[in-house]
Amino acid sequence: MKNLIRAVFPALLLAPLSLFGSANAYAQSAVMQQQQQMIQQQQQGFQNQNSSFNQQQLRNTQTQIQRDNQAQQIHQLNENMRLNADQQWQNNNQQRMLNNQNRQQRQQQLQLNQMDQQKKVNNQRMLNQQNTVDQNRKNNGGQ
């Protein structure tokens, strides 16, 4: 009987340990599952964060492109306004030159008209003087 107890007793002692070992394995499996879920949640959080970051980067890039385009449009408008102002200045300058030329031509024409008028007056005087001389000669007997 002692031999039987000696043979069975260690088996009885080991039985609860094996039950405890399977419970321990189950608990470890549950902990591992929970850790796996936490890792997956972290990875999903990182992916969401990365996606948000990428979306923000995209929005920032789009905003910068819009700003660059607006700056380019403003620069082009300023350049067009400058060119228009230059063209307007040139047109005004040409008009001033034409006005000056016209004024000079009118002044020259006025001077020519005055010279012609003076010439006519002088010719008329000379003709009158000649007529007077001729008349005096006639009156004096043809001398």
Side-chain angles (χ1 to χ4, degrees):
M1 173 96 169
K2 282 183 180 181
N3 288 338
L4 182 61
I5 291 176
R6 280 185 190 159
V8 172
F9 186 69
L12 287 175
L13 286 175
L14 290 175
L17 286 176
S18 67
L19 287 175
F20 178 73
S22 68
N24 188 21
Y26 176 75
Q28 285 179 350
S29 175
V31 168
M32 286 178 63
Q33 280 184 337
Q34 190 177 13
Q35 286 177 342
Q36 187 66 30
Q37 286 177 347
M38 289 174 58
I39 290 170
Q40 287 175 347
Q41 288 174 349
Q42 281 182 337
Q43 287 176 340
Q44 186 64 39
F46 290 148
Q47 288 174 352
N48 290 343
Q49 225 176 8
N50 192 31
S51 176
S52 294
F53 176 78
N54 288 340
Q55 289 174 357
Q56 185 60 46
Q57 285 295 99
L58 178 62
R59 285 192 296 272
N60 290 348
T61 301
Q62 290 170 336
T63 300
Q64 189 60 46
I65 288 171
Q66 288 174 343
R67 287 179 182 163
D68 290 347
N69 287 341
Q70 288 173 344
Q72 185 178 8
Q73 289 172 348
I74 289 170
H75 174 74
Q76 189 60 49
L77 287 173
N78 287 338
E79 184 65 15
N80 290 346
M81 286 172 47
R82 185 188 65 77
L83 291 174
N84 287 341
D86 286 349
Q87 185 62 46
Q88 187 63 44
W89 182 86
Q90 288 177 358
N91 290 345
N92 290 344
N93 199 36
Q94 287 176 347
Q95 188 61 47
R96 279 191 296 274
M97 288 172 54
L98 286 174
N99 290 344
N100 286 339
Q101 286 176 348
N102 289 339
R103 187 175 66 253
Q104 288 173 351
Q105 287 175 349
R106 284 192 307 271
Q107 287 174 345
Q108 288 174 351
Q109 189 61 45
L110 180 62
Q111 287 174 347
L112 288 174
N113 290 344
Q114 288 173 346
M115 287 171 58
D116 282 345
Q117 187 65 32
Q118 188 61 42
K119 193 176 187 183
K120 286 179 184 177
V121 167
N122 289 342
N123 286 342
Q124 188 62 43
R125 279 187 190 151
M126 287 176 61
L127 185 61
N128 289 343
Q129 285 176 353
Q130 187 63 41
N131 287 338
T132 303
V133 167
D134 289 345
Q135 188 64 35
N136 285 341
R137 280 187 188 160
K138 219 186 234 187
N139 291 340
N140 290 332
Q143 296 177 359

